Amino acid sequence: MKRPELGVTLTKLHCWELTQFSKCVFMDADTMVLSNIDELFEREELSAAPDPGWPDCFNSGVFVYRPSIETYNQLLQFATEKGSFDGADQGLLNTFFSSWATTDMSKHLPFIYNLSSTSVYSYLPAFKAFGANTKVVHFLGSTKPWNYTYDSRTKSIKGNVDDPKIVHPEFLNMWWDTYTVNVLPLLEQHGIVQEATTGGNMAEVTEAVSHISVSAPSPVLPTISSEERKERWEQGQADYMGVDSFDNIKKKLDTYLQ
Ligand code: GLC
Ligand code: MN
């Protein structure tokens, strides 16, 4: 897929270690929840929605599972022996939970629990018919919402009109609206990002906001700049054994959650 940055998604396997919980719903950081989805906890491991690119595989951006050290160890051993056909977590998990496609329909989550944002234009009639029921949107692909520039004055994404994501920007705009209204003020309040601007016109505010979002919070502290560190991550060169170790990431998440 020419996306070496996806290798870092194997850290996802650590979720099986969260044995203080009996059942969990894993969600990628590029998903956006639109309504309450507590009912997912009524499902069993491993429940997930089909991948839009290969519907006999599940998409690993949203799934229900049971933390278990036994499963965790099996997954690691499996990864070591067999690797992953897509170089990342989804290939590995689909080979490990290989009966998903054929065995138990109750483990097939409806697509509205992991609706690929590209489905808006790849199957527009279905989106028009069923899109209003969407519960979780997943911004899969290499360009994420935070890679776009947002104009908070017009409440819209700026971009090339040939880009289908710009032709159907409803979810992207929703992500940005939620980010600027509900998330950014909290990040500022906790000093994670600096105030966007003081005074000035809206265009400046917008630039500042979109800039901040791009260089947003990076866990723990590096001797390299956060921009350089982000570039390395995106090239698949995270410092797994050092500052980017799972322990450090977990510490940072725990701090936020507290
Ligand atoms: C797909 C999934 C994502 C996963 C990646 C790599 O993009 O949506 O969750 O990390 O594949 O397997
Ligand atoms: Mn994703």
Side-chain angles (χ1 to χ4, degrees):
M1 293 191 288
K2 297 207 172 71
R3 290 185 58 193
E5 83 278 12
L6 286 179
V8 78
T9 68
L10 288 167
T11 56
K12 209 182 266 195
L13 301 181
H14 282 290
C15 72
W16 268 272
E17 288 184 295
L18 301 172
T19 50
Q20 68 269 44
F21 307 108
S22 55
K23 196 190 278 180
C24 299
V25 176
F26 177 92
M27 309 192 74
D28 271 6
D30 58 351
T31 55
M32 176 172 72
V33 179
L34 304 185
S35 68
N36 188 293
I37 49 171
D38 286 353
E39 66 276 15
L40 286 181
F41 288 98
E42 288 157 28
R43 304 271 180 162
E44 259 315 319
E45 174 170 284
L46 183 289
S47 293
D51 185 86
W54 197 269
D56 282 345
C57 286
F58 58 82
N59 181 278
S60 61
V62 176
F63 60 87
V64 184
Y65 75 101
R66 282 192 180 273
S68 146
I69 296 300
E70 197 188 342
T71 311
Y72 174 71
N73 288 333
Q74 286 170 356
L75 279 163
L76 287 202
Q77 195 183 342
F78 198 86
T80 313
E81 287 167 7
K82 310 233 163 70
S84 164
F85 70 76
D86 72 353
D89 66 292
Q90 183 162 304
L92 176 77
L93 292 173
N94 270 277
T95 320
F96 188 83
F97 295 101
S98 61
S99 64
W100 176 86
T102 49
T103 313
D104 181 356
M105 266 312 278
S106 72
K107 293 183 178 172
H108 282 227
L109 298 181
F111 196 53
I112 53 167
Y113 286 95
N114 185 354
L115 184 124
S116 151
S117 53
T118 55
S119 304
V120 178
Y121 51 86
S122 63
Y123 197 3
L124 185 59
F127 183 73
K128 285 186 176 160
F130 311 117
N133 305 326
T134 305
K135 288 176 185 265
V136 179
V137 181
H138 186 178
F139 296 96
L140 32 91
S142 51
T143 313
K144 302 301 184 190
W146 48 90
N147 297 130
Y148 287 86
T149 302
Y150 181 70
D151 186 335
S152 51
R153 197 165 24 91
T154 57
K155 288 188 177 295
S156 63
I157 295 291
K158 295 186 203 162
N160 182 341
V161 287
D162 295 332
D163 179 349
K165 288 185 184 155
I166 297 297
V167 181
H168 298 283
E170 28 295 82
F171 289 135
L172 269 180
N173 287 341
M174 212 187 277
W175 186 96
W176 269 99
D177 191 47
T178 307
Y179 176 72
T180 49
V181 174
N182 304 109
V183 181
L184 194 55
L186 291 173
L187 297 179
E188 287 169 350
Q189 197 182 318
H190 291 280
I192 295 164
V193 297
Q194 285 171 354
E195 294 278 343
T197 184
T198 44
N201 64 33
M202 285 311 279
E204 281 171 15
V205 175
T206 306
E207 278 312 309
V209 166
S210 56
H211 170 73
I212 282 166
S213 74
V214 173
S215 54
S218 57
V220 206
L221 52 305
T223 45
I224 55 169
S225 73
S226 83
E227 200 51 37
E228 195 183 337
R229 181 148 174 256
K230 178 174 161 249
E231 269 164 33
R232 289 195 195 168
W233 269 69
E234 291 178 351
Q235 287 159 9
Q237 298 165 355
D239 181 11
Y240 302 106
M241 309 303 255
V243 287
D244 303 320
S245 70
F246 180 70
D247 280 349
N248 281 341
I249 293 171
K250 188 164 179 297
K251 258 182 234 155
K252 193 72 184 175
L253 288 173
D254 286 344
T255 312
Y256 284 144
L257 290 175
Q258 275 155 22

